[in-house]
Amino acid sequence: SNDLAGEVFKADNINISEAIPGELKNICAFVDPSALRGSDYTAAILSAKDNDNNYIILDTLLQNKGTYDEIAKRLEEWSRSWGNIRIYVETNGYIGIEFYEFLQRNYRRLNINSWYSRGNKFERIIAQYGNISDRTKFIQQPNLQICLDQLYDFGQKCEHDDFADCLASSIMLQNFK
């Protein structure tokens, strides 16, 4: 049942890879900001597509304490490493708008765009189940395990769905662009 946390995504249907595919296209980042006050997590994902149109999760961030500057510095690292990537910030609520405006004011070199997520969050995530389990490769990196732990806990009544939501939005973004 979808009421049970952890009944959706399981380790055996998540594809983790050590190697980054040679040819990547549409490298971009998606950020779902939080207040960073110890409850909700800010989730960010650096994603791309390979030549077979698989989704490649190159890097991740999941943090529920700290500062907007810490998140922005990570986005700057991604931009430096991968070229001036487009960065999409979910601006559904006050926090998203505040973070988006913070980046616009203080990190003008970054290519910042706003993104508005529509519909029910749980349904948005479930709609990407096939893409996540069949067509997504997660590149092994230091932040991956904490993100996957949150993904494996995902369910209708789970405590934190921030990474699952960010992942679903990243895939929608890859399809949209």
Side-chain angles (χ1 to χ4, degrees):
S1 139
N2 284 338
D3 291 347
L4 296 170
E7 290 298 302
V8 181
F9 299 102
K10 295 188 173 27
D12 58 8
N13 60 14
I14 295 297
N15 180 359
I16 299 170
S17 173
E18 296 291 330
I20 297 174
E23 296 279 318
L24 293 175
K25 54 194 176 195
N26 197 37
I27 301 169
C28 58
F30 186 89
V31 188
D32 185 353
S34 77
L36 295 170
R37 293 195 194 105
S39 53
D40 279 358
Y41 286 79
T42 292
I45 292 177
L46 180 68
S47 69
K49 273 186 164 178
D50 67 11
N51 279 342
D52 298 322
N53 280 326
N54 292 306
Y55 307 100
I56 309 299
I57 306 305
L58 294 164
D59 206 351
T60 59
L61 174 150
L62 191 62
Q63 186 173 325
N64 71 347
K65 290 189 175 91
T67 65
Y68 284 173
D69 277 306
E70 288 172 9
I71 307 297
K73 295 218 179 329
R74 190 67 181 284
L75 299 173
E76 275 188 326
E77 281 172 33
W78 289 351
S79 259
R80 270 198 306 277
S81 300
W82 295 95
N84 186 25
I85 58 168
R86 281 165 310 170
I87 298 166
Y88 293 85
V89 177
E90 187 177 82
T91 52
N92 281 41
Y94 169 75
I95 301 284
I97 293 165
E98 185 182 70
F99 182 68
Y100 173 78
E101 290 174 349
F102 169 84
L103 291 176
Q104 295 279 40
R105 270 193 321 274
N106 301 297
Y107 291 85
R108 292 205 184 102
R109 290 181 311 278
L110 295 178
N111 183 351
I112 306 297
N113 305 268
S114 70
W115 177 272
Y116 190 87
S117 293
R118 300 189 191 293
N120 173 284
K121 187 196 287 193
F122 182 80
E123 288 167 12
R124 273 200 313 266
I125 296 166
I126 293 299
Q128 296 303 327
Y129 176 84
N131 282 330
I132 292 167
S133 51
D134 302 335
R135 294 187 51 212
T136 302
K137 288 182 185 156
F138 294 83
I139 303 305
Q140 188 61 262
Q141 42 82 12
N143 299 298
L144 183 60
Q145 195 55 53
I146 186 177
C147 297
L148 291 180
D149 288 346
Q150 203 185 82
L151 185 65
Y152 300 147
D153 285 343
F154 171 73
Q156 204 144 23
K157 293 188 167 60
C158 65
E159 195 178 355
H160 295 290
D161 56 14
D162 312 281
F163 183 73
D165 189 27
C166 187
L167 181 59
S169 295
S170 294
I171 289 173
M172 286 192 283
L173 179 62
Q174 283 293 342
N175 291 337
F176 176 75
K177 287 287 145 206

